[in-house]
Amino acid sequence: MSFMKNTKKRALLLFGGRSGEHEVSLRSAASVLKFMDRNLFEPVLVAIEKSGRWVLQPEIPVDRIPASLPIVSGEEVYLAPYPKSGGSALSFAADSKKTLSIDVVFPVMHGTFCEDGTLQGLFELAEVPYVGCGVLASSVGMDKVFAKRAFETAGIPITPYRVATKDMEPGSVMGELGFPCFVKPANSGSSVGVHKVKKRADLEDALFDAFKYDTVVLIEKALTVREIELAVLELPGTGEIWVSQPGELKVNHEFYSYEAKYLDENGAVPLLPAPISPEQAEEAKRMAKAAFQALQCSGMARVDLFLDQATGGFVLNEINTLPGFTSISMYPKMCEHSGIPYPTLITRLFETAIERHQKRSELVRDFVIPTS
Ligand SMILES: Nc1ncnc2c1ncn2[C@@H]1O[C@H](COP(=O)(O)OP(=O)(O)OP(=O)(O)O)[C@@H](O)[C@H]1O
Ligand SMILES: [Mg+2]
């Protein structure tokens, strides 16, 4: 991109965060810091502590970046909910007149308050270009019930489901679904609060646990599945929606549970490419692109499909708008395997973020009622 060549852009890497995926974020951010193109971008590091405080971090020499970024004490900074210094700048808590200008933000974070539209709302108010999906796609993508409704409307096959709220009788929430079924909080992540329920007697306990994490719970027919994932990337310049070849996660547990994800290093084995037929791969790519468009995503998303062993067809499980982003995470690996190396991927994301911001800033925001 020609606009990138002349001046280095200052890129704010925001990491940590208040979600359960805080530690994953420290690893994702370490990879981004290590591999981002220093000829094009100059990093500014800000950690979000578990308390929510934003703390400016010192630079780390490229050859000394650890696998997981540490959080050290430093000056408290924040983004004001209005544009500062021409639009993009961090403010300092100790001296609100002091600012540090930035050109683009990469929220290298996952989960609640990071990936659900709340942080993206702050970026919008501050008028800062940011990597990834906007407010709407982020919040819908995070809510399993609303995401399903959007996918259904777009004609994308999904798993049969019911929505349960606390006031419903456990006996009435199942409808025709039958057992086994999956019980999941509408908003969660990392399989926290997700249960496979094999018989009616276990339903109440599963619902009780899921309702700890959200007031709305999704119940799904349990399918026998293979887990197929794809990386979707919006390319700068053309806006083309690029989709990687599918990858597969071979899960060595009854399902891809919290234990399989984080506690057992052999919990799941990635297969790149997924051993499926070329026709199946094409179908998976079509679905991933349709899912990205159904939620009006921008920048990137990882689309997770189930290959239903009973029918041989795909159903859409979910979309992740800020997927795990270490250099060995599925999203970057799938991009790399399909021809976009990790450093290029990071550059593309920054470029798309800046372009999207430019386009949106040309929209008319204030409407003055003409006086006659
Ligand atoms: N309907 C289903 N049939 C079979 N397996 C399922 C079903 N729903 C979920 N699973 C299993 O449970 C795992 C976790 O479910 P899901 O992906 O919906 O939630 P999550 O992983 O908590 O969300 P996130 O990926 O946003 O962290 C899936 O990867 C899959 O192994
Ligand atoms: Mg999942």
Side-chain angles (χ1 to χ4, degrees):
M1 295 295 299
S2 56
F3 69 83
M4 290 283 182
K5 289 269 150 58
N6 307 328
T7 40
K8 247 193 210 189
K9 302 278 176 188
R10 203 177 270 160
L12 169 62
L13 301 189
L14 206 52
F15 61 93
R18 294 166 64 185
S19 78
E21 286 153 296
H22 179 96
E23 281 73 21
V24 184
S25 161
L26 304 183
R27 292 206 298 273
S28 294
S31 283
V32 174
L33 182 64
K34 190 165 171 183
F35 292 104
M36 64 193 279
D37 186 341
R38 300 299 179 105
N39 295 318
L40 299 176
F41 304 101
E42 174 197 336
V44 172
L45 298 178
V46 170
I48 302 185
E49 295 176 340
K50 283 188 176 165
S51 66
R53 235 166 54 96
W54 292 29
V55 185
L56 189 62
Q57 300 292 297
E59 278 178 43
I60 306 176
V62 180
D63 56 350
R64 268 187 266 150
I65 297 168
S68 171
L69 288 187
I71 298 184
V72 300
S73 59
E75 284 184 278
E76 183 174 338
V77 291
Y78 62 93
L79 269 180
Y82 54 90
K84 272 207 165 177
S85 302
S88 305
L90 281 169
S91 301
F92 287 75
D95 176 2
S96 66
K97 290 202 180 65
K98 188 173 159 193
T99 56
L100 175 64
S101 72
I102 48 171
D103 296 302
V104 61
V105 187
F106 190 162
V108 197
M109 308 199 296
H110 321 288
T112 311
F113 299 133
C114 307
E115 188 177 349
D116 59 3
T118 51
L119 189 58
Q120 289 71 16
L122 179 60
F123 297 148
E124 291 287 340
L125 292 174
E127 297 187 11
V128 179
Y130 57 98
V131 166
C133 293
V135 174
L136 179 78
S138 300
S139 53
V140 175
M142 189 77 183
D143 188 294
K144 293 187 197 312
V145 173
F146 274 83
K148 270 191 189 291
R149 288 177 181 153
F151 296 143
E152 258 180 324
T153 306
I156 302 169
I158 54 167
T159 318
Y161 72 101
R162 303 267 299 181
V163 178
T165 48
K166 264 190 176 159
D167 53 331
M168 292 169 86
E169 280 294 314
S172 73
V173 298
M174 287 299 290
E176 303 295 310
L177 278 187
F179 294 91
C181 67
F182 271 85
V183 169
K184 316 174 182 181
N187 274 279
S188 78
S190 301
S191 304
V192 172
V194 174
H195 297 268
K196 184 171 182 179
V197 181
K198 293 182 180 162
K199 52 184 194 306
R200 187 168 293 272
D202 298 335
L203 180 64
E204 225 164 312
D205 282 352
L207 286 171
F208 182 81
D209 185 61
F211 277 125
K212 286 184 192 162
Y213 303 99
D214 202 344
T215 52
V216 179
V217 166
L218 186 68
I219 307 174
E220 271 179 31
K221 183 177 162 62
L223 309 173
T224 305
V225 299
R226 285 171 63 188
E227 314 223 10
I228 306 294
E229 305 192 347
L230 299 100
V232 186
L233 178 69
E234 182 186 355
L235 297 179
T238 59
E240 182 200 332
I241 296 169
W242 177 91
V243 186
S244 73
Q245 286 300 326
E248 176 167 6
L249 268 177
K250 244 187 134 23
V251 179
N252 294 322
H253 287 235
E254 184 161 6
F255 70 96
Y256 200 23
S257 59
Y258 184 87
E259 289 71 28
K261 283 180 184 172
Y262 300 112
L263 305 179
D264 176 2
E265 62 180 57
N266 301 313
V269 180
L271 302 177
L272 287 171
I276 53 179
S277 71
E279 295 73 31
Q280 284 176 313
E282 278 315 305
E283 176 60 13
K285 288 174 78 168
R286 263 198 302 278
M287 278 177 70
K289 183 172 176 181
F292 192 87
Q293 290 173 318
L295 261 54
Q296 294 185 6
C297 290
S298 37
M300 69 168 151
R302 196 191 73 221
V303 175
D304 297 351
L305 306 178
F306 288 151
L307 182 52
D308 183 350
Q309 299 296 77
T311 64
F314 290 106
V315 291
L316 186 68
N317 177 33
E318 59 168 348
I319 196 161
N320 295 281
T321 52
L322 282 173
F325 213 82
T326 70
S327 56
I328 58 160
S329 298
M330 271 305 258
Y331 183 91
K333 275 283 160 209
M334 290 190 289
C335 289
E336 192 165 342
H337 194 268
S338 295
I340 302 184
Y342 191 65
T344 312
L345 168 63
I346 298 167
T347 300
R348 296 286 169 272
L349 288 169
F350 281 136
E351 288 171 338
T352 300
I354 292 169
E355 276 185 12
R356 175 171 189 261
H357 181 77
Q358 274 171 354
K359 277 192 206 127
R360 283 169 59 83
S361 62
E362 285 159 15
L363 297 172
V364 177
R365 302 268 184 198
D366 48 354
F367 178 69
V368 183
I369 300 169
T371 48
S372 52

